[in-house]
PDB file of all heavy atoms in Angstrom:
ATOM      1  N   ASP A 151     322.223  69.146 160.955  1.00 97.00           N
ATOM      2  CA  ASP A 151     321.893  67.725 161.073  1.00 97.00           C
ATOM      3  C   ASP A 151     321.493  67.383 162.504  1.00 97.00           C
ATOM      4  O   ASP A 151     320.553  66.616 162.734  1.00 97.00           O
ATOM      5  CB  ASP A 151     323.090  66.865 160.658  1.00 97.00           C
ATOM      6  CG  ASP A 151     323.339  66.894 159.158  1.00 97.00           C
ATOM      7  OD1 ASP A 151     322.404  67.246 158.408  1.00 97.00           O
ATOM      8  OD2 ASP A 151     324.468  66.564 158.743  1.00 97.00           O
ATOM      9  N   ALA A 152     322.208  67.930 163.483  1.00 97.00           N
ATOM     10  CA  ALA A 152     321.882  67.674 164.883  1.00 97.00           C
ATOM     11  C   ALA A 152     320.494  68.201 165.229  1.00 97.00           C
ATOM     12  O   ALA A 152     319.730  67.556 165.966  1.00 97.00           O
ATOM     13  CB  ALA A 152     322.933  68.306 165.791  1.00 97.00           C
ATOM     14  N   VAL A 153     320.147  69.358 164.684  1.00 97.00           N
ATOM     15  CA  VAL A 153     318.825  69.930 164.933  1.00 97.00           C
ATOM     16  C   VAL A 153     317.738  69.073 164.289  1.00 97.00           C
ATOM     17  O   VAL A 153     316.690  68.808 164.891  1.00 97.00           O
ATOM     18  CB  VAL A 153     318.769  71.378 164.414  1.00 97.00           C
ATOM     19  CG1 VAL A 153     317.331  71.902 164.404  1.00 97.00           C
ATOM     20  CG2 VAL A 153     319.657  72.273 165.266  1.00 97.00           C
ATOM     21  N   ARG A 154     317.980  68.610 163.068  1.00 96.00           N
ATOM     22  CA  ARG A 154     316.986  67.747 162.412  1.00 96.00           C
ATOM     23  C   ARG A 154     316.806  66.437 163.184  1.00 96.00           C
ATOM     24  O   ARG A 154     315.674  65.944 163.331  1.00 96.00           O
ATOM     25  CB  ARG A 154     317.414  67.460 160.970  1.00 96.00           C
ATOM     26  CG  ARG A 154     317.130  68.609 160.005  1.00 96.00           C
ATOM     27  CD  ARG A 154     317.326  68.187 158.562  1.00 96.00           C
ATOM     28  NE  ARG A 154     318.736  67.979 158.258  1.00 96.00           N
ATOM     29  CZ  ARG A 154     319.540  68.919 157.784  1.00 96.00           C
ATOM     30  NH1 ARG A 154     319.065  70.138 157.575  1.00 96.00           N
ATOM     31  NH2 ARG A 154     320.802  68.658 157.513  1.00 96.00           N
ATOM     32  N   ASN A 155     317.888  65.877 163.679  1.00 95.00           N
ATOM     33  CA  ASN A 155     317.778  64.652 164.469  1.00 95.00           C
ATOM     34  C   ASN A 155     316.977  64.885 165.742  1.00 95.00           C
ATOM     35  O   ASN A 155     316.176  64.044 166.159  1.00 95.00           O
ATOM     36  CB  ASN A 155     319.174  64.120 164.809  1.00 95.00           C
ATOM     37  CG  ASN A 155     319.875  63.510 163.623  1.00 95.00           C
ATOM     38  OD1 ASN A 155     319.238  63.072 162.664  1.00 95.00           O
ATOM     39  ND2 ASN A 155     321.193  63.469 163.655  1.00 95.00           N
ATOM     40  N   ALA A 156     317.212  66.032 166.374  1.00 94.00           N
ATOM     41  CA  ALA A 156     316.459  66.350 167.588  1.00 94.00           C
ATOM     42  C   ALA A 156     314.974  66.502 167.282  1.00 94.00           C
ATOM     43  O   ALA A 156     314.117  66.008 168.021  1.00 94.00           O
ATOM     44  CB  ALA A 156     317.012  67.622 168.221  1.00 94.00           C
ATOM     45  N   ALA A 157     314.668  67.189 166.184  1.00 92.00           N
ATOM     46  CA  ALA A 157     313.269  67.369 165.803  1.00 92.00           C
ATOM     47  C   ALA A 157     312.593  66.036 165.502  1.00 92.00           C
ATOM     48  O   ALA A 157     311.384  65.874 165.691  1.00 92.00           O
ATOM     49  CB  ALA A 157     313.172  68.291 164.594  1.00 92.00           C
ATOM     50  N   ALA A 158     313.390  65.055 165.040  1.00 91.00           N
ATOM     51  CA  ALA A 158     312.849  63.732 164.735  1.00 91.00           C
ATOM     52  C   ALA A 158     312.746  62.843 165.968  1.00 91.00           C
ATOM     53  O   ALA A 158     312.302  61.696 165.867  1.00 91.00           O
ATOM     54  CB  ALA A 158     313.722  63.046 163.690  1.00 91.00           C
ATOM     55  N   GLY A 159     313.173  63.359 167.126  1.00 90.00           N
ATOM     56  CA  GLY A 159     312.998  62.593 168.359  1.00 90.00           C
ATOM     57  C   GLY A 159     314.253  62.018 168.958  1.00 90.00           C
ATOM     58  O   GLY A 159     314.167  61.212 169.884  1.00 90.00           O
ATOM     59  N   HIS A 160     315.424  62.413 168.471  1.00 93.00           N
ATOM     60  CA  HIS A 160     316.680  61.838 168.958  1.00 93.00           C
ATOM     61  C   HIS A 160     317.484  62.896 169.708  1.00 93.00           C
ATOM     62  O   HIS A 160     317.879  63.916 169.135  1.00 93.00           O
ATOM     63  CB  HIS A 160     317.498  61.288 167.790  1.00 93.00           C
ATOM     64  CG  HIS A 160     316.740  60.320 166.940  1.00 93.00           C
ATOM     65  ND1 HIS A 160     316.461  59.037 167.344  1.00 93.00           N
ATOM     66  CD2 HIS A 160     316.176  60.466 165.713  1.00 93.00           C
ATOM     67  CE1 HIS A 160     315.776  58.414 166.396  1.00 93.00           C
ATOM     68  NE2 HIS A 160     315.585  59.265 165.398  1.00 93.00           N
ATOM     69  N   SER A 161     317.737  62.663 170.981  1.00 95.00           N
ATOM     70  CA  SER A 161     318.498  63.612 171.784  1.00 95.00           C
ATOM     71  C   SER A 161     319.947  63.680 171.309  1.00 95.00           C
ATOM     72  O   SER A 161     320.489  62.707 170.775  1.00 95.00           O
ATOM     73  CB  SER A 161     318.467  63.202 173.259  1.00 95.00           C
ATOM     74  OG  SER A 161     317.150  63.290 173.781  1.00 95.00           O
ATOM     75  N   GLY A 162     320.593  64.834 171.519  1.00 97.00           N
ATOM     76  CA  GLY A 162     321.968  64.983 171.075  1.00 97.00           C
ATOM     77  C   GLY A 162     322.691  66.096 171.813  1.00 97.00           C
ATOM     78  O   GLY A 162     322.080  66.947 172.472  1.00 97.00           O
ATOM     79  N   LEU A 163     324.003  66.065 171.715  1.00 98.00           N
ATOM     80  CA  LEU A 163     324.876  67.076 172.297  1.00 98.00           C
ATOM     81  C   LEU A 163     325.922  67.469 171.267  1.00 98.00           C
ATOM     82  O   LEU A 163     326.554  66.593 170.661  1.00 98.00           O
ATOM     83  CB  LEU A 163     325.574  66.530 173.552  1.00 98.00           C
ATOM     84  CG  LEU A 163     326.814  67.283 174.063  1.00 98.00           C
ATOM     85  CD1 LEU A 163     326.437  68.663 174.575  1.00 98.00           C
ATOM     86  CD2 LEU A 163     327.503  66.477 175.165  1.00 98.00           C
ATOM     87  N   VAL A 164     326.097  68.769 171.055  1.00 98.00           N
ATOM     88  CA  VAL A 164     327.155  69.283 170.189  1.00 98.00           C
ATOM     89  C   VAL A 164     327.815  70.442 170.911  1.00 98.00           C
ATOM     90  O   VAL A 164     327.135  71.370 171.368  1.00 98.00           O
ATOM     91  CB  VAL A 164     326.614  69.766 168.825  1.00 98.00           C
ATOM     92  CG1 VAL A 164     327.777  70.291 167.969  1.00 98.00           C
ATOM     93  CG2 VAL A 164     325.876  68.643 168.100  1.00 98.00           C
ATOM     94  N   VAL A 165     329.142  70.400 171.022  1.00 98.00           N
ATOM     95  CA  VAL A 165     329.910  71.492 171.618  1.00 98.00           C
ATOM     96  C   VAL A 165     330.836  72.055 170.550  1.00 98.00           C
ATOM     97  O   VAL A 165     331.670  71.329 170.002  1.00 98.00           O
ATOM     98  CB  VAL A 165     330.714  71.026 172.839  1.00 98.00           C
ATOM     99  CG1 VAL A 165     331.599  72.157 173.361  1.00 98.00           C
ATOM    100  CG2 VAL A 165     329.779  70.541 173.943  1.00 98.00           C
TER     101      VAL A 165
END
Side-chain angles (χ1 to χ4, degrees):
D151 288 340
V153 169
R154 281 191 290 269
N155 287 336
H160 306 286
S161 295
L163 163 67
V164 180
V165 175

